[in-house]
């Protein structure tokens, strides 16, 4: 199908983009890897597309106050090639190769994925697992929203239609940081039937600050809080059991909810071993 007619504007700055968004029924265009499909299928019919690809400064990676700041326009492929991401944001580095295929990773952006918030996507779950922050510019200025409150429902987030996500901040990994990632998809590169992104702090042999965030099992990334507590107590079996109450995945085109819950238990054991420094199951 072809999209409904729309006007097109290139934003020259974040302020310009916000102004264009303010006066129109508009959508931002970043990598276009989700937006163009929704336009073509006429799931969305904005009057104006605001292209932010030429906005200077949004593709930077920088550091301050123990955090790594990843600009919204940093493309997946750029992040995959950046040594600082591998060293300081290892969970993101683990997740990136699972996103689609090279052609998609050449265009798709970190900000587009976090902003779009597909519940089966890898990066929104990593963002929550790392307890990140979204930097949002809007008509009333800039605000910072914690990942735990960013996602509010299916494709709903703290972003309003007038906002631009300019960057995400993540804590820089230290020698105590442990991360884990696993997903089960029908073919490599497909959206996952179920996936798990995790982070924790390792103090001697014990884990603390355990954050287990599943994707593909709900309307947003889902924290498994019972399993987090069990893992912090060192009990993998109890963590796997807790999945039954932590998660209530709906049936979808990929699999029935009961299957997804079963897969989540498998993923939990694999990721728990990564967090504990052992081999994957
Ligand atoms: C064949 C195929 C397979 C794919 N497989 C996967 C996969 O396995 N895992 C996965 O995670 N994704 C997958 N994707 C989607 C891909 O990751 C997209 O790149 C991502 O969902 C959106 O990023 P984008 O930069 O392309 O954003 P766009 O498509 O340009 O925008 C998506 C939405 O986010 C909004 N938006 C974008 N940037 C901002 C911003 N800075 N501030 C506010 N709003 C913004 C747009 O207005 C739009 O509504 C796949 C896509 C395709 C076509």
């Amino acid at each position: 199908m072809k999209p409904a007619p729309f006007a097109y504007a290139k934003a020259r700055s974040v302020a310009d983009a916000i102004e264009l968004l303010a006066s129109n029924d508009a959508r931002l265009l970043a990598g276009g890897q989700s937006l163009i499909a929704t336009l073509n299928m006429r799931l969305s019919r904005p009057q104006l597309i605001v292209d932010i690809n030429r906005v200077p400064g949004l593709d930077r990676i920088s550091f301050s106050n123990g955090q790594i700041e990843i600009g919204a326009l940093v493309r997946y492929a750029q992040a995959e090639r950046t040594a600082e991401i591998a060293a300081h944001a290892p969970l993101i580095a683990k997740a990136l190769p699972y996103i689609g295929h090279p052609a998609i990773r050449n265009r798709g952006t970190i900000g587009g994925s976090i902003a779009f918030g597909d519940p089966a996507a890898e990066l929104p779950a990593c963002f929550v697992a790392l307890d990140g922050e979204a930097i949002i510019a809007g008509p009333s200025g800039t605000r910072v929203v914690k990942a735990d409150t960013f996602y509010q429902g299916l494709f709903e987030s703290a972003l309003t239609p007038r906002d631009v996500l300019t960057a995400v901040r993540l804590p820089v990994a230290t020698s105590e940081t442990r991360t884990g990632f696993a997903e089960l998809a029908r073919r490599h590169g497909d959206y996952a039937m179920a996936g798990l992104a995790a982070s924790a702090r390792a103090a001697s042999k014990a884990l603390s600050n355990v954050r287990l965030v599943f994707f593909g099992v709900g309307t947003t990334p889902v924290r498994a809080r019972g399993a987090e507590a069990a893992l912090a107590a060192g009990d993998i079996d109890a963590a796997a059991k807790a999945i039954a109450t932590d998660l209530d995945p709906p049936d979808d085109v990929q699999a029935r909810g009961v299957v997804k819950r079963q897969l989540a238990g498998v993923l939990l054991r694999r990721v728990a071993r990564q967090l504990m420094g052992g081999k994957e199951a």
Side-chain angles (χ1 to χ4, degrees), residues 173-203:
T174 68
S175 58
E176 292 185 335
T177 305
R178 297 287 177 274
T179 60
F181 184 89
E183 71 172 47
L184 291 161
R186 289 181 191 277
R187 297 171 305 183
H188 184 85
D190 283 1
Y191 276 105
M193 289 188 280
L196 172 58
S199 77
R201 236 181 94 207

Side-chain angles (χ1 to χ4, degrees), residues 218-234:
T219 55
T220 62
V222 183
R223 277 187 75 180
R225 292 181 188 265
E228 288 175 357
L231 221 50

Side-chain angles (χ1 to χ4, degrees), residues 21 26-38 44 49-50 52-53 58 71-76 95-101 103-105 107-118 120-124 135-137 150 155 157 159-167 183 185 187-192 215:
L21 291 174
R27 284 280 187 295
L28 293 180
L29 171 70
Q33 298 303 297
S34 294
L35 180 68
I36 300 298
T38 64
S44 122
I49 295 294
V50 178
I52 55 171
N53 282 275
L58 289 187
L73 278 185
V74 170
R75 298 189 196 275
Y76 304 135
L96 285 167
Y98 289 89
I99 302 175
H101 308 284
I104 288 136
R105 299 202 293 273
R107 294 296 308 162
T109 66
I110 304 261
S113 177
I114 304 283
F116 191 53
D118 189 309
E122 288 81 1
L123 293 189
I135 319 301
I136 301 171
F150 185 77
F155 296 111
S157 72
L159 289 166
T160 75
R162 306 281 187 247
D163 291 329
V164 180
L165 175 71
T166 57
E183 71 172 47
R187 297 171 305 183
H188 184 85
D190 283 1
Y191 276 105
F215 52 99

Side-chain angles (χ1 to χ4, degrees), residues 16 26 56 68-69 74 79 85 122 130 159 165 209 223 271-272:
D16 192 22
I68 180 168
E69 184 168 312
V74 170
I85 298 276
E122 288 81 1
L130 291 170
L159 289 166
L165 175 71
N209 292 11
R223 277 187 75 180
V271 167

